[in-house]
Amino acid sequence: MVGMKVICRTCDRETNAPHGVCLNHRGEDGLYVRCVGSWAKEKYYYIERYLDIFTMSMRQKWQLYYIDLFSGCGKCRVRETGDEIDGSGLIALNLKFPFNKYYFIDSDENSLQSLKERVKSNLLFTRISFKWGDCNEKVMEILSELPKVNTLYVALIDPTGLQINFDTIRKLTNERRMDLIVTFPEGMAINRNIDKFIKKEDSLLDSFMGDRRWRNLYSSKLSGDSIENSLIDLYRDNLKTIGYQEIKSADEILIKSSKRALPLYYLLFASKHPLGHRFWSSISEIEPTGQRKLKF
């Protein structure tokens, strides 16, 4: 199937694409690809715009580092159309003004090897550090290589679920000026597993949120929308405890499924400096269609 367009609308993705990586059909170049919905184009649109304005504006005074904690394969296949699009790693490497250093981390060896193969001829290859493993376990190794002075960072945190521990973010950002772009799951995605999370003393959601306060939300008989907003509020509060500026609703972009317009997750931005928020506000005003968002 190499070189052929594959449309996968009815695929059993849990079986054929564990962790989002398609095991049935390789990409046009014969390497692994990540299975995504058409909504992923919107996500990558905003990520690319932010990386572009960040590197363009900050390159002359700072060393710039890019850290992708769930870097994936470098290529994604849109299951509704079969089109292949660049993932975050290739987007970051193809900016007009590149970063000084790139870190690509992924727990899936096939994904990381595919990404490495795809970028081996890139002129920036010598600037890349590849780390195979769970980012929560690799964080201390990464930290040992990161300077604290004269360096600005952007970290992309785009897992397929709740695989990032808040404590990992705390360690990574300590004493460093690091902007964060985080995919935060929409409330219903968490609600589907909430009974399992509540029954466990130390659940995946505890690690993701950074504490146990979220448990109080589910004992307060809040509505679905209220719980969703409150979960994000708690996450914002925890980011403030590690030095991040107040995060407002304008710093969140809701990504919806293309077919039924169902909410999937929020693209959440956080910065320790107001300039970062001004950049994000600037890039998020224009939708992928080119239309300017309405302000109420």
Side-chain angles (χ1 to χ4, degrees):
M1 300 297 292
V2 174
M4 295 180 63
K5 182 175 284 193
V6 179
I7 299 177
C8 314
R9 291 193 189 96
T10 59
C11 175
D12 179 2
R13 295 189 293 278
E14 289 188 7
T15 301
N16 299 324
H19 311 296
V21 180
C22 181
L23 301 181
N24 276 2
H25 305 291
R26 303 288 180 92
E28 295 174 358
D29 56 6
L31 301 170
Y32 286 97
V33 293
R34 176 170 282 180
C35 172
V36 298
S38 55
W39 42 261
K41 295 179 181 179
E42 182 177 1
K43 173 181 69 177
Y44 290 131
Y45 164 80
Y46 290 114
I47 290 172
E48 181 175 10
R49 280 175 59 81
Y50 186 77
L51 298 182
D52 184 59
I53 194 172
F54 177 88
T55 54
M56 178 180 65
S57 303
M58 311 307 289
R59 72 189 190 280
Q60 293 182 340
K61 294 184 178 180
W62 303 82
Q63 291 284 304
L64 304 181
Y65 277 44
Y66 174 76
I67 302 173
D68 198 329
L69 295 177
F70 299 87
S71 60
C73 318
K75 282 285 186 179
C76 305
R77 180 188 295 118
V78 179
R79 51 181 168 265
E80 295 90 345
T81 64
D83 294 335
E84 290 189 13
I85 61 174
D86 286 350
S88 53
L90 294 186
I91 287 172
L93 286 167
N94 290 327
L95 298 169
K96 181 177 180 180
F97 301 105
F99 285 85
N100 299 101
K101 183 72 176 179
Y102 297 81
Y103 280 83
F104 294 137
I105 304 100
D106 205 282
S107 60
D108 185 84
E109 186 176 15
N110 288 332
S111 292
L112 200 65
Q113 283 300 120
S114 292
L115 176 59
K116 191 173 185 177
E117 185 69 19
R118 285 188 169 108
V119 303
K120 66 180 184 181
S121 60
N122 193 293
L123 295 176
L124 302 175
F125 186 77
T126 56
R127 300 187 186 186
I128 304 172
S129 177
F130 297 91
K131 304 286 186 183
W132 171 41
D134 185 329
C135 64
N136 299 298
E137 299 173 359
K138 303 294 287 187
V139 64
M140 298 311 296
E141 178 184 332
I142 297 168
L143 284 174
S144 68
E145 302 174 17
L146 300 184
K148 291 184 178 180
V149 297
N150 300 323
T151 307
L152 298 182
Y153 298 86
V154 176
L156 177 63
I157 304 172
D158 184 23
T160 56
L162 303 175
Q163 297 97 331
I164 181 73
N165 296 342
F166 193 86
D167 190 54
T168 298
I169 297 175
R170 179 184 291 109
K171 292 174 181 175
L172 192 64
T173 61
N174 184 40
E175 297 184 23
R176 292 175 179 82
R177 187 170 156 187
M178 186 178 296
D179 289 353
L180 304 176
I181 303 174
V182 185
T183 53
F184 189 95
E186 185 271 333
M188 288 304 296
I190 292 176
N191 287 344
R192 284 194 289 269
N193 295 295
I194 199 63
D195 289 340
K196 179 176 65 176
F197 294 146
I198 287 177
K199 290 176 182 177
K200 291 195 68 174
E201 183 67 22
D202 296 305
S203 73
L204 196 63
L205 189 54
D206 291 308
S207 299
F208 176 81
M209 293 295 295
D211 57 36
R212 296 168 55 85
R213 290 185 297 158
W214 63 268
R215 294 172 182 266
N216 298 328
L217 302 178
Y218 291 90
S219 62
S220 302
K221 297 182 180 179
L222 297 175
S223 67
D225 289 343
S226 298
I227 284 180
E228 177 179 312
N229 293 332
S230 297
L231 282 170
I232 296 174
D233 288 343
L234 290 178
Y235 200 81
R236 289 172 175 169
D237 288 345
N238 281 344
L239 286 171
K240 286 170 65 176
T241 69
I242 58 174
Y244 282 87
Q245 297 268 316
E246 180 180 359
I247 302 171
K248 303 176 182 178
S249 58
D251 300 314
E252 301 160 1
I253 297 172
L254 180 59
I255 305 294
K256 298 180 180 181
S257 66
S258 303
K259 187 175 182 180
R260 292 186 290 172
L262 295 175
L264 296 172
Y265 56 80
Y266 292 87
L267 200 57
L268 176 67
F269 177 79
S271 181
K272 294 182 177 180
H273 195 279
L275 182 59
H277 290 276
R278 290 202 292 272
F279 286 165
W280 185 260
S281 177
S282 172
I283 67 97
S284 60
E285 287 179 354
I286 307 297
E287 297 180 341
T289 59
Q291 182 175 344
R292 184 171 293 274
K293 291 183 178 179
L294 296 176
K295 294 185 178 180
F296 299 96

